[in-house]
Amino acid sequence: MISTLIFLILALITFFILYAYLDFNKAIIYTPFITVCLNYALIKLGSLFGIDILKFFYKIILFRKFIPDEDYILSSDKKILVEWLNDKIKLLDMSKDRSLKKVITIGENGKSVFNRTSNLTNIKLTNNVIYIGEYAFNNAKIVSINLSNNLERIGENAFSNSSLQSIVIPDSVKTIEKRAFESCSLLKTINLSNNLLSIERNTFYECSSLQSITIPNKVKYVGEYSFKDCTSLQSVIIPDNMEKIGTRAFENCTSLQSVIIPDNIK
């Protein structure tokens, strides 16, 4: 019993000393001594009382808040991520924070959420997010993003001028507004939602690294300048249900080698 208490006290003292200088994640993850001492002490205590204290302890840890409040700004109702402020981290997983888990919209009033972050390159949204707002990732340095499986709409200029290199749009998305990916010069691959109904004007304008695109079967309209200046675009597959292709939709696609166009196109 005495040795158990000694291990527990040593672990807690070390943890709180580190916690004063580091965030919680670093204190618990980067200090094996703490983990070993806590595990030993909690297992021993649990055996004395006939309960799994270790499981209970880590369950509490999992439910605590992992991302400091000063790293971001939320709307008053806590449902909109208005701005991200931490310029040090490279990966953001919103599921790791109990407040960010509840966010359903990224961006507010056409303001870029991530344009201040030069190091953040990878983002994982939770499945609660249903809307990515106008200019939400405009000028962001993100390279990749895991979208919500319940995402319904991507707003105007949502990813324009970002460093995005690839993206998969889930089948829950029916609407991508105009200029959503405009001037994403590093974007090489994109898988569009099978339930997408149209490609609005300038959606992929100046995506100069994009090499191929398969337009989903439900899309009936491709807007003006949608793929203009996509100079690396080599192949386009247009579905039989397509009804109209807008003016200069594929203008200056200088690498384009093959396009199959259905007879019913206007």
Side-chain angles (χ1 to χ4, degrees):
M1 182 66 180
I2 295 176
S3 62
T4 300
L5 290 175
I6 291 173
F7 269 100
L8 183 60
I9 291 169
L10 284 173
L12 291 175
I13 289 173
T14 308
F15 171 74
F16 284 114
I17 290 174
L18 287 172
Y19 187 73
Y21 296 97
L22 302 171
D23 64 29
F24 180 85
N25 289 319
K26 291 178 181 177
I28 199 71
I29 293 173
Y30 296 133
T31 312
F33 173 75
I34 293 175
T35 306
V36 171
C37 289
L38 278 176
N39 285 356
Y40 177 83
L42 292 172
I43 289 171
K44 288 294 184 180
L45 285 173
S47 65
L48 290 175
F49 296 99
I51 58 174
D52 192 346
I53 296 179
L54 183 65
K55 182 178 179 181
F56 177 75
F57 177 77
Y58 282 108
K59 188 174 182 181
I60 292 174
I61 288 177
L62 290 174
F63 277 98
R64 83 176 301 281
K65 184 175 181 62
F66 282 89
I67 300 177
D69 289 339
E70 57 267 24
D71 282 3
Y72 57 81
I73 298 174
L74 298 179
S75 60
S76 57
D77 62 2
K78 309 297 183 183
K79 293 183 179 180
I80 302 173
L81 177 58
V82 177
E83 189 171 8
W84 180 259
L85 303 173
N86 187 330
D87 190 34
K88 296 179 180 179
I89 67 169
K90 293 183 178 181
L91 170 65
L92 169 60
D93 185 348
M94 291 176 60
S95 67
K96 299 299 184 182
D97 183 82
R98 64 173 180 235
S99 295
L100 292 179
K101 276 183 180 180
K102 299 175 183 178
V103 167
I104 62 173
T105 298
I106 308 295
E108 184 179 51
N109 299 325
K111 181 180 179 181
S112 180
V113 179
F114 297 96
N115 67 338
R116 290 189 182 185
T117 57
S118 57
N119 291 311
L120 183 62
T121 56
N122 299 279
I123 298 176
K124 183 178 180 180
L125 305 183
T126 70
N127 284 331
N128 288 328
V129 176
I130 59 174
Y131 175 51
I132 295 177
E134 298 177 3
Y135 294 88
F137 293 92
N138 175 253
N139 289 318
K141 301 302 181 182
I142 59 165
V143 173
S144 67
I145 182 170
N146 288 8
L147 299 179
S148 162
N149 289 328
N150 296 312
L151 186 66
E152 297 175 0
R153 186 159 60 104
I154 297 175
E156 182 178 335
N157 286 92
F159 292 93
S160 60
N161 291 291
S162 70
S163 299
L164 200 63
Q165 294 183 10
S166 65
I167 190 170
V168 176
I169 311 294
D171 289 342
S172 55
V173 175
K174 293 183 178 180
T175 304
I176 299 178
E177 296 178 7
K178 62 184 180 180
R179 297 188 172 92
F181 296 93
E182 183 176 86
S183 299
C184 289
S185 60
L186 300 178
L187 183 64
K188 293 181 179 180
T189 60
I190 181 166
N191 293 337
L192 294 173
S193 163
N194 288 319
N195 291 309
L196 191 65
L197 300 177
S198 66
I199 295 177
E200 299 301 320
R201 64 176 297 158
N202 292 72
T203 300
F204 299 103
Y205 176 66
E206 288 186 339
C207 289
S208 55
S209 297
L210 187 65
Q211 297 179 356
S212 65
I213 190 79
T214 299
I215 299 175
N217 289 329
K218 292 185 180 181
V219 173
K220 294 184 177 181
Y221 170 68
V222 173
E224 296 89 344
Y225 310 103
S226 296
F227 296 92
K228 186 179 184 296
D229 292 335
C230 291
T231 52
S232 297
L233 189 64
Q234 297 179 19
S235 66
V236 179
I237 298 176
I238 298 174
D240 292 336
N241 293 329
M242 183 70 65
E243 295 178 356
K244 184 178 179 180
I245 296 178
T247 304
R248 298 180 179 179
F250 294 94
E251 183 178 54
N252 201 34
C253 293
T254 53
S255 299
L256 197 59
Q257 297 176 6
S258 66
V259 182
I260 300 175
I261 301 176
D263 295 334
N264 56 323
I265 293 291
K266 298 177 181 179

